[in-house]
Amino acid sequence: FFILPIDVSDIRHIGRRRMAEYTVCVQYLPSSDEPKAETALTEELLYKILEYVTVDGAKVPGWDIHSETTDEVLSFFATYKMLTLEQNENYETMNECYLKE
């Protein structure tokens, strides 16, 4: 197996929030005497395994999951999107808010 990051983006949202998006390619090179059968079985397993990944205890769904086999090499693609928070100690937050009627 080879795991290759294809595209990584990090977009600022409101406040400390950021939308991180990771597109990865998992490549599998079969080693048996029947590479097509091995590749097909591995492809089926990868669809089940990579449908969700766990990041810091939270399940993150895969988007745009697809695969292709070229020259007996399986390439499996998935994109994972997650909202993250910047870790900034100096970030000021509003403590109290009063509303006059």
Side-chain angles (χ1 to χ4, degrees):
F1 284 99
F2 294 102
I3 301 173
L4 310 165
I6 301 294
D7 188 28
V8 177
S9 66
D10 188 18
I11 301 167
R12 178 178 295 280
H13 281 257
I14 298 171
R16 299 183 309 150
R17 291 184 215 120
R18 301 182 80 81
M19 176 58 75
E21 188 171 309
Y22 302 91
T23 301
V24 296
C25 174
V26 178
Q27 288 190 319
Y28 178 74
L29 289 79
S31 60
S32 71
D33 294 336
E34 295 188 27
K36 288 184 181 182
E38 184 180 349
T39 299
L41 178 62
T42 304
E43 181 178 31
E44 185 178 325
L45 289 172
L46 284 174
Y47 271 103
K48 291 177 184 175
I49 293 169
L50 297 177
E51 180 179 6
Y52 289 91
V53 296
T54 303
V55 178
D56 292 332
K59 284 191 170 188
V60 178
W63 297 87
D64 192 25
I65 298 174
H66 62 282
S67 62
E68 59 185 46
T69 303
T70 308
D71 297 328
E72 298 179 351
V73 175
L74 172 64
S75 296
F76 191 92
F77 302 91
T79 299
Y80 299 97
K81 301 175 186 180
M82 60 196 97
L83 197 59
T84 61
L85 290 175
E86 288 180 346
Q87 298 299 320
N88 187 346
E89 301 292 328
N90 299 325
Y91 193 86
E92 289 187 39
T93 58
M94 183 170 31
N95 292 327
E96 296 179 16
C97 180
Y98 299 98
L99 178 67
K100 287 187 177 183
E101 295 183 33

